[in-house]
Amino acid sequence: MRSTLPTDRRSPVPAPSTTSNTSTRKAFGRLSLPERTFVTDALRAETVGGVLLLLAAITALVWANVPALRDSYESVSHYHLGPASLGLDLSIAHWAADGLLAIFFFVAGIELKRELVAGDLKDPKAAVLPVVAALCGMAVPALVYVLTSTAGGGSLAGWAVPTATDIAFALAVLAVIGTSLPSALRAFLLTLAVVDDLFAILIIAVFFTESIDFAALGGAVVALAVFWLLLRKGVRGWYVYVPLALVVWGLMYNSGVHATIAGVTMGLMLRCHRREGEKHSPGEHIEHLVRPLSAGLAVPLFALFSAGVSVSGGALGDVFTKPETLGVVLGLVVGKTIGIFGGTWLTARFTRASLSDELEWADVFAVATLAGIGFTVSLLIGELAFEGDAVLTDEVKAAVLAGSVIAAVLASVLLKVRNAKYRRLCEAEERDDDLDGIPDIYEEDQPEYHLRMAAIHERKAEEHRRIADEKTAERRRLAEVASGASADGDRPA
């Protein structure tokens, strides 16, 4: 997980422009140094979270499928606790989905706010690409599901299941397999996943809220207003905000609106730009504190109590034969890839954006395939979509697992194929010949950089001249010794 606070974005060197002097804008052009540092830190944090998520999912599958352990898994998952008087007598699995996952969405809200005020989404022209790609990457999988389910006579209730991308899993695979992926392409996946999460939250709020308790919802709005007002007044102290956040969450849950909406709303309220004299904004600071809790505890525990589905030869066969489950698999593997790649290509085709000279469309296709990993949010939407039908819920969960694994394997193969080129690009990005801690690519327009390089080359030249003089003198000594030995050999005995 992230071991340091986010790097100060006030770079000692001017951020290079990603826009050429012409009217054409380069898609996936070089990031500014502060933005690249943020992306690197986010990847590092999400890699650890993705590994823990994977371990939790494997544990859940083993726990739920070993005959001697299966009953205990059901008992623990359905064990109820919490104050019934407050409407919070929930099962462990319910607490994980509605409670702990709100922490994940809180961090997602902060990330989205940061992108809006300091990242790619701040510039409307730059925001077009990931937003269009995210929208197409949600619309096409939904369409694929609807067509597949309709053709097979299945339920259309699960249309939203394959629309989500799992940030932790996708970035973990990217960090492990695409080690030399250009930073701009990594940033694209990160931004796309954050936008994807926002729209997934909107889908949950709009389509999976059956009835609303307006009194509880009004209380949640009032509590959120108090939360916002305290932030505006600069009030500090976890003992103020944590109890208030719990009140907001409890009221939101009882209102009938999914409780994770409370998390993302509070995350969006945090200030993510710095004021004079601040090293880190409140959003950066709180994200640094909460992200380990989200990646290391909340999301893995949700996976532990959501991924425990019965897996057998027959169950796996059903995944590829039933219309609902087949629609989920095809939506994640085919729909996500076509949607994101197609949205990106259309943006480049019909706007002034063009692909960076350093990249090829095969690189974008590999990342689009990776976005088909729809684990956490897809499992959550699957539970909401088929609530009341335990059998179909488990089958859809198995489909989410199968589709995510297939997408991860395909993306890994594609990234491996492209990694040789990525490595060369990465080496160019990381080169720091003047040893000042800033990659040379960000200083090539600065006279001071070239003066430093000239001094370095002059020192190297002087060192080479010294070595050359030493070698010449050594050769002369050897020649003199050889000449003297030859003269002695010619004398009469």
Side-chain angles (χ1 to χ4, degrees):
M1 294 174 191
R2 199 176 303 174
S3 57
T4 59
L5 286 171
T7 304
D8 192 334
R9 301 199 212 304
R10 290 173 294 183
S11 171
V13 297
S17 173
T18 57
T19 309
S20 66
N21 294 329
T22 66
S23 60
T24 300
R25 182 183 183 86
K26 292 295 183 183
F28 306 111
R30 187 200 317 157
L31 295 177
S32 67
L33 182 58
E35 186 67 11
R36 196 182 81 173
T37 301
F38 170 80
V39 171
T40 302
D41 287 344
L43 280 168
R44 187 179 301 116
E46 297 293 356
T47 300
V48 177
V51 170
L52 292 175
L53 185 59
L54 178 61
L55 292 176
I58 293 172
T59 301
L61 289 171
V62 172
W63 193 359
N65 285 278
V66 173
L69 302 175
R70 186 179 303 147
D71 291 341
S72 65
Y73 181 80
E74 292 293 327
S75 299
V76 173
S77 296
H78 296 112
Y79 180 79
H80 280 247
L81 56 92
S85 59
L86 299 178
L88 297 175
D89 182 21
L90 310 178
S91 67
I92 296 292
H94 207 163
W95 275 110
D98 284 303
L100 291 177
L101 212 55
I103 301 173
F104 165 78
F105 281 109
F106 175 70
V107 174
I110 298 175
E111 288 180 334
L112 178 62
K113 181 67 174 288
R114 197 209 72 84
E115 290 294 331
L116 289 169
V117 301
D120 284 348
L121 301 184
K122 181 180 181 181
D123 179 3
K125 293 180 180 179
V128 169
L129 187 65
V131 170
V132 170
L135 287 173
C136 292
M138 300 184 80
V140 176
L143 180 61
V144 169
Y145 176 91
V146 169
L147 292 175
T148 305
S149 191
T150 301
S155 170
L156 299 182
W159 64 270
V161 175
T163 60
T165 294
D166 190 283
I167 294 179
F169 257 172
L171 292 182
V173 173
L174 182 64
V176 173
I177 303 298
T179 53
S180 301
L181 192 71
S183 56
L185 210 52
R186 297 180 181 214
F188 169 72
L189 179 63
L190 178 63
T191 307
L192 181 146
V194 171
V195 175
D196 186 289
D197 274 345
L198 172 65
F199 286 108
I201 292 163
L202 292 176
I203 287 174
I204 292 171
V206 174
F207 295 99
F208 296 103
T209 299
E210 295 180 356
S211 60
I212 297 179
D213 183 332
F214 287 99
L217 183 60
V221 171
V222 171
L224 284 170
V226 173
F227 187 88
W228 178 81
L229 185 62
L230 292 174
L231 290 173
R232 292 279 291 180
K233 295 295 183 181
V235 176
R236 299 192 176 189
W238 65 267
Y239 45 84
V240 174
Y241 290 104
V242 171
L244 182 57
L246 292 174
V247 170
V248 172
W249 177 86
L251 289 169
M252 190 70 75
Y253 174 81
N254 281 287
S255 73
V257 178
H258 200 270
T260 53
I261 305 300
V264 75
T265 304
M266 288 186 282
L268 286 169
M269 287 183 175
L270 292 175
R271 177 169 59 82
C272 291
H273 63 273
R274 298 194 191 114
R275 292 175 178 167
E276 190 66 29
E278 287 185 339
K279 289 187 64 177
H280 308 287
S281 68
E284 290 174 329
H285 178 66
I286 293 173
E287 182 189 4
H288 167 71
L289 295 176
V290 178
R291 184 182 287 276
L293 179 62
S294 170
L297 180 67
V299 176
L301 280 178
F302 168 76
L304 181 65
F305 292 107
S306 294
V309 296
S310 178
V311 177
S312 63
L316 291 176
D318 289 342
V319 166
F320 298 98
T321 55
K322 289 192 174 181
E324 295 90 350
T325 52
L326 181 60
V328 170
V329 173
L330 292 178
L332 289 173
V333 178
V334 179
K336 273 288 182 182
T337 304
I338 293 176
I340 293 172
F341 180 81
T344 306
W345 185 86
L346 289 172
T347 303
R349 175 67 177 82
F350 293 105
T351 69
R352 293 180 176 180
S354 66
L355 192 65
S356 172
D357 295 335
E358 298 174 333
L359 299 175
E360 297 177 7
W361 283 108
D363 306 333
V364 183
F365 187 83
V367 173
T369 304
L370 186 60
I373 302 176
F375 190 79
T376 306
V377 183
S378 289
L379 289 175
L380 175 62
I381 295 177
E383 290 181 352
L384 297 173
F386 297 103
E387 189 174 9
D389 189 339
V391 175
L392 190 53
T393 298
D394 282 351
E395 290 174 344
V396 168
K397 285 184 179 181
V400 170
L401 293 174
S404 298
V405 169
I406 293 171
V409 171
L410 289 175
S412 299
V413 172
L414 294 174
L415 288 171
K416 277 292 186 181
V417 170
R418 305 297 301 168
N419 212 42
K421 177 177 179 177
Y422 296 152
R423 192 175 298 112
R424 292 192 297 271
L425 292 174
C426 187
E427 288 171 356
E429 281 190 349
E430 298 296 333
R431 195 179 71 250
D432 183 18
D433 290 338
D434 62 343
L435 303 177
D436 66 342
I438 299 172
D440 295 340
I441 199 170
Y442 292 100
E443 302 179 295
E444 291 174 348
D445 295 332
Q446 296 185 5
E448 296 81 4
Y449 162 75
H450 292 284
L451 290 174
R452 288 195 300 272
M453 290 304 300
I456 290 172
H457 287 303
E458 286 169 3
R459 288 196 296 271
K460 289 182 178 180
E462 185 63 31
E463 179 67 15
H464 283 297
R465 280 193 287 269
R466 183 187 63 78
I467 295 173
D469 290 341
E470 290 178 354
K471 296 296 183 183
T472 301
E474 184 178 352
R475 284 186 178 182
R476 287 174 181 170
R477 286 195 300 271
L478 291 173
E480 289 173 358
V481 170
S483 177
S486 176
D488 291 339
D490 290 341
R491 292 176 185 173

